[in-house]
């Protein structure tokens, strides 16, 4: 007799798992992350553009922006004024199959406690690693946790990645950014274009702050005047060590990154 749907089980630590216990596993590798304050988000246009582009890359189709925004509004409407919001885009046909190509994907949204990230300064170990599909936000990134743990075991706070050409690209869950004393320097390498990175960059331009892209190696890193990491948690945490290279904390640089971020209007979802 064929097995019914109810005959399949999910067992956690040797017992049937309760639905609430599975929630963290569903989002163990989230696809998109943002911070919500008073129902508002900075860089919403960038969030939607990245979700749209990644959906087309993965599935050949994307949900309408207004549909995504309505799902997000439903998720946050009964929550506190400060929340984290996670959006996972997936195919209803499942993974490891071509069945869902060209079909409109589904969206799973979760809210959680707000996060502001570490204060720093941080010390980053250096790892020779290139993320798969680095320009797309996706869930197949167990190496990031692995290298974070390895870095902490070595006495560092986190890890930065160096690609096959010797260029510093990004950190585990962070974009890297540098300061030469006059201009903000973004690394020239294959990286995920973070939304906070996009917000800061366009506001720095509006403020008249010079910016440029440059290949950053451990050798020319020594000539820079500061470094930071940023993600949806924060526009800038100072980094004072990358591998064996020690950098100044560059507090005016960190203040500039935060000033640029705050200059971006927060808009309702």
């Amino acid at each position: 007799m064929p097995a019914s749907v109810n005959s399949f089980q999910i067992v956690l630590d040797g017992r049937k798992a309760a639905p609430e216990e599975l929630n963290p596993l569903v989002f163990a590798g989230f696809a998109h992350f943002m911070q919500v304050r008073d129902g508002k988000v900075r860089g919403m246009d960038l969030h939607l553009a990245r979700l749209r582009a990644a959906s087309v890359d993965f599935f050949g189709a994307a949900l309408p922006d207004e549909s995504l925004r309505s799902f997000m509004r439903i998720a946050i409407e009964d929550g506190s004024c400060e929340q984290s919001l996670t959006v996972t885009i997936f195919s209803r046909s499942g993974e490891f199959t071509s069945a869902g190509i060209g079909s409109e994907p589904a969206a799973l949204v979760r809210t959680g406690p707000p996060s502001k990230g570490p204060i720093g300064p941080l010390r980053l170990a250096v790892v020779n690693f290139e993320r798969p599909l680095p320009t797309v936000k996706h869930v197949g990134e167990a190496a990031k946790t692995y290298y974070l743990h390895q870095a902490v075991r070595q006495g560092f706070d986190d890890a930065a990645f160096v690609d096959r050409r010797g260029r510093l690209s990004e950190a585990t869950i962070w974009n890297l950014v540098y300061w030469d004393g006059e201009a903000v320097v973004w690394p020239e390498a294959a990286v995920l274009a973070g939304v906070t990175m996009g917000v800061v960059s366009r506001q720095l331009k509006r403020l008249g702050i010079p910016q440029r892209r440059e290949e950053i190696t451990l050798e020319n890193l020594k000539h820079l005047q500061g470094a930071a990491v940023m993600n949806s948690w924060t526009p800038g945490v100072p980094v004072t060590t990358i591998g064996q290279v020690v950098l100044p904390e560059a507090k005016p640089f960190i203040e500039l990154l935060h000033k640029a971020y705050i200059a971006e209007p927060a808009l309702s979802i």
Side-chain angles (χ1 to χ4, degrees):
M1 184 174 68
S4 68
V5 172
N6 291 332
S7 69
F8 299 107
Q9 302 295 334
I10 300 177
V11 176
L12 179 64
D13 292 336
R15 55 180 172 76
K16 290 183 180 180
E20 62 270 18
E21 294 177 303
L22 299 178
N23 185 46
L25 300 179
V26 172
F27 292 94
F30 50 74
H32 201 82
F33 194 58
M34 64 186 79
Q35 295 294 318
V36 180
R37 301 292 181 265
D38 293 323
K40 298 180 179 180
V41 173
R42 287 183 168 85
M44 176 55 72
D45 61 320
L46 300 177
H47 284 292
L48 292 171
R50 194 170 75 174
L51 282 165
R52 190 185 321 116
S55 295
V56 172
D57 277 351
F58 267 92
F59 310 116
L63 286 161
D65 288 355
E66 189 48 47
S67 294
L68 280 172
R69 295 182 80 152
S70 69
F71 300 158
M72 295 177 202
R73 287 193 292 267
I74 291 169
I76 69 170
E77 63 184 359
D78 294 326
S80 64
C81 61
E82 295 194 354
Q83 304 177 60
S84 294
L85 190 147
T86 304
V87 181
T88 299
I89 306 296
F90 66 98
S91 170
R92 295 186 184 279
S93 300
E95 294 189 275
F96 315 119
T97 175
S98 60
I101 293 178
S103 299
E104 185 176 83
L108 194 63
V109 182
R110 181 188 68 168
T111 60
S115 180
K116 297 180 181 178
I119 297 174
L122 302 180
R123 301 175 65 254
L124 305 181
V126 173
V127 177
N128 293 311
F129 178 67
E130 296 178 34
R131 294 190 303 108
L133 300 175
T135 60
V136 178
K137 182 81 173 178
H138 60 87
V139 300
E141 300 188 331
K144 294 193 299 188
T145 300
Y146 174 80
Y147 288 125
L148 165 63
H149 289 183
Q150 293 296 312
V152 171
R153 290 188 181 106
Q154 295 168 26
F156 292 89
D157 301 300
D158 212 321
F161 301 147
V162 174
D163 68 15
R164 71 193 73 184
R165 294 170 56 179
R167 303 177 299 181
L168 283 157
S169 56
E170 50 195 353
T172 54
I173 57 171
W174 312 91
N175 282 118
L176 288 165
V177 61
Y178 306 95
W179 178 244
D180 71 359
E182 296 181 355
V184 173
V185 184
W186 302 100
E188 182 67 58
V191 304
L192 178 71
V195 170
T196 301
M197 175 182 172
V199 165
V200 169
S201 180
R202 69 185 178 189
Q203 290 301 324
L204 288 173
K205 182 178 180 180
R206 190 185 66 82
L207 293 169
I209 306 299
Q211 304 176 73
R212 69 176 187 276
R213 296 177 65 88
E214 181 179 323
E215 293 188 352
I216 304 298
T217 66
L218 289 172
E219 183 56 38
N220 62 21
L221 178 63
K222 300 173 184 177
H223 306 295
L224 294 173
Q225 300 303 308
V229 290
M230 63 175 62
N231 61 15
S232 66
W233 291 343
T234 170
V237 179
V239 173
T240 54
T241 302
I242 301 180
Q244 300 303 311
V245 180
V246 177
L247 295 156
E249 188 169 340
K251 292 183 179 180
F253 170 48
I254 303 302
E255 292 170 359
L256 175 62
L257 296 176
H258 283 260
K259 178 182 178 181
Y261 183 74
I262 293 299
E264 176 85 10
L267 303 177
S268 297
I269 293 177

